[in-house]
Amino acid sequence: MTKVALLFIGATLVVGCSSTAPAGSTPKAARGSPSAVTRSPAAPAKTLASVTEVPPGLRMLPSSGVGPATFAYGCGSVSPYDTGVACGHWRLLTRDGALWYLPEALGDYWDGVEDDTAPLAISPDGLRVAYFQAHDGQLVVRELASGAITPMRYTPTWDAGRNYPTELKFLGAGWLLVSDVVLAEVDEKGEQRGHHKVKEMIAKVTTGEIREAPEGVIGVDETGTRFTTETATDTGVRLQTTGGPAHHIVVRQLNNELTLEGFIAKDGLAFDLAPRGFAVCGDGDIRPDKLVTVDLRTGKNRSVVTPKLPKDVGRGWGIGWLNPREVLVGVIRNQPGDDTIEETYALDILTGDARRTGRIDRERLQARDPGLIPDGEEAVGGYLETSPDRAARKKTVPLKRGSCG
């Protein structure tokens, strides 16, 4: 499960993000030419709560004229019989501090057996959002400024009422990554045969064209044909570009090379904020220890620096590239009395210098949205910066939690 965390700077609200990603596996080669698939609309899943009015403190997302988004969140799991809670649909925060309600995007739902939340994604520049439409289950990409909606030619491998994709994520220049979990077969005795598998696809956001992608993909070029993948091994991480050599990345300064799983790629580089030791959902020393940057063309480390984060930081994780010189990371700082504070920092990949860019103010968000319930799903975006000049930047940026929460 995930939980909501709010960052507040000045008049701008930006909220933290948490996600659970499927474990990486040995990547498969990308398959041939694009496969465009026309999808028959699926029957919409039943929302957890019947919402007929806009919840207090929120406004309906207008058809156009919306500024860049920074964060979206769902209310969280509630009893399907609790119709008094103003929940069921995604909320969207924009850079100007506005809080919008999105009933057109399928959010929390109940299929008669279990509750879940259909995914939503925000592009790194905040100009687009991707979601499944509530009325027909169609995956679409919406441009917030113009209001243009482009259907993605995507056929799911899951039951629209129960098993939604593990992840929607904007990737590369103009592509949306869709990760499906293909469920293992079950025999007549109800026993599972084999393991669940992850099927990766990318969709071109301007046309809806669909292409298959290799498992573990972390980057794609503008043409949608050259992928960078990441695979965890017992002695490090294997990064590979389609049609090129596989690079086995090991950082000797780390106590356990397995901690390197989690690179984020962009424009020929990849970075990872690696902890001191291997952790399985909290076990081990997971304090941030090294910021590792790798040149994807050569497989060589461009830099390995110690991030200059506060001494009370207990864990950290990468979010994305802010600009060619800096990356954005999220951290949890330990406070007296078992309290914690979640913040975001921009880290210089060559020096490790850190500047704080945001801090949580969860109570402020809950005051604006009385229907908010802890442990809801979250999406993050709108954090890109174009210049590495520190003096000119005072933007807020979102926060993303790790996968063991």
Side-chain angles (χ1 to χ4, degrees):
M1 294 294 291
T2 59
K3 66 179 181 180
V4 174
L6 173 66
L7 300 176
F8 178 72
I9 298 181
T12 303
L13 295 170
V14 181
V15 189
C17 175
S18 174
S19 63
T20 301
S25 58
T26 303
K28 298 178 291 185
R31 298 188 179 95
S33 59
S35 56
V37 182
T38 302
R39 172 176 186 257
S40 298
K46 181 181 179 181
T47 56
L48 284 174
S50 178
V51 181
T52 58
E53 298 180 356
V54 180
L58 306 182
R59 290 178 290 170
M60 194 78 74
L61 184 72
S63 58
S64 63
V66 180
T70 56
F71 181 76
Y73 65 94
C75 285
S77 297
V78 296
S79 166
Y81 308 106
D82 187 1
T83 58
V85 178
C87 210
H89 297 292
W90 283 93
R91 282 93 154 113
L92 188 73
L93 284 167
T94 49
R95 191 173 294 162
D96 58 7
L99 181 58
W100 305 104
Y101 185 55
L102 280 75
E104 61 268 37
L106 183 60
D108 297 338
Y109 66 89
W110 170 258
D111 63 5
V113 177
E114 60 186 26
D115 57 77
D116 208 336
T117 303
L120 179 146
I122 303 172
S123 61
D125 57 15
L127 302 181
R128 294 183 173 99
V129 293
Y131 55 82
F132 290 88
Q133 293 184 140
H135 69 279
D136 64 0
Q138 173 71 57
L139 175 61
V140 300
V141 170
R142 174 173 178 166
E143 296 182 12
L144 294 174
S146 68
I149 295 177
T150 304
M152 301 294 103
R153 297 197 292 265
Y154 161 69
T155 300
T157 60
W158 31 266
D159 180 341
R162 298 187 63 177
N163 302 307
Y164 271 87
T166 304
E167 183 180 16
L168 292 178
K169 180 181 180 181
F170 284 90
L171 193 67
W175 296 93
L176 177 71
L177 176 66
V178 184
S179 299
D180 268 356
V181 174
V182 181
L183 301 180
E185 294 183 0
V186 178
D187 60 22
E188 62 278 1
K189 297 181 180 180
E191 297 181 355
Q192 178 177 309
R193 293 179 177 177
H195 301 282
H196 302 324
K197 297 180 180 180
V198 177
K199 182 179 181 181
E200 307 274 26
M201 290 154 285
I202 57 170
K204 191 171 183 59
V205 299
T206 56
T207 66
E209 169 196 334
I210 291 290
R211 298 182 179 186
E212 291 192 19
E215 287 189 33
V217 60
I218 61 172
V220 61
D221 69 351
E222 293 185 5
T223 68
T225 59
R226 192 168 178 80
F227 299 96
T228 299
T229 59
E230 175 193 44
T231 307
T233 71
D234 291 339
T235 57
V237 167
R238 191 174 299 277
L239 300 180
Q240 184 171 12
T241 300
T242 308
H247 302 304
H248 193 203
I249 309 301
V250 176
V251 180
R252 300 297 179 186
Q253 294 93 325
L254 300 178
N255 294 336
N256 191 317
E257 290 80 7
L258 281 172
T259 61
L260 285 176
E261 183 180 10
F263 277 96
I264 299 174
K266 187 176 186 293
D267 297 334
L269 293 175
F271 86 92
D272 188 13
L273 182 63
R276 296 190 178 191
F278 182 61
V280 181
C281 292
D283 296 332
D285 189 348
I286 57 176
R287 289 175 294 172
D289 185 54
K290 299 295 178 184
L291 177 63
V292 182
T293 309
V294 176
D295 188 324
L296 294 174
R297 299 172 182 85
T298 64
K300 295 182 179 180
N301 294 334
R302 178 172 178 180
S303 61
V304 180
V305 299
T306 300
K308 299 175 184 178
L309 293 166
K311 294 182 178 180
D312 58 2
V313 168
R315 65 180 293 195
W317 55 92
I319 297 174
W321 286 87
L322 285 173
N323 53 63
R325 182 67 181 263
E326 290 182 311
V327 297
L328 181 68
V329 302
V331 302
I332 293 180
R333 299 179 62 181
N334 299 318
Q335 302 295 297
D338 294 328
D339 291 333
T340 59
I341 295 176
E342 297 178 43
E343 296 179 331
T344 54
Y345 285 82
L347 297 181
D348 189 305
I349 63 174
L350 299 182
T351 66
D353 289 342
R355 59 184 179 88
R356 187 171 69 86
T357 56
R359 174 173 287 187
I360 294 171
D361 188 352
R362 186 178 292 111
E363 293 181 359
R364 192 175 193 82
L365 179 59
Q366 292 174 327
R368 293 188 65 184
D369 185 359
L372 176 64
I373 297 173
D375 298 325
E377 293 297 322
E378 305 169 2
V380 69
Y383 52 78
L384 285 183
E385 297 181 10
T386 58
S387 170
D389 180 12
R390 289 187 183 82
R393 288 197 306 268
K394 291 186 179 180
K395 291 184 180 178
T396 56
V397 285
L399 175 66
K400 180 175 181 180
R401 242 176 22 130
S403 61
C404 289

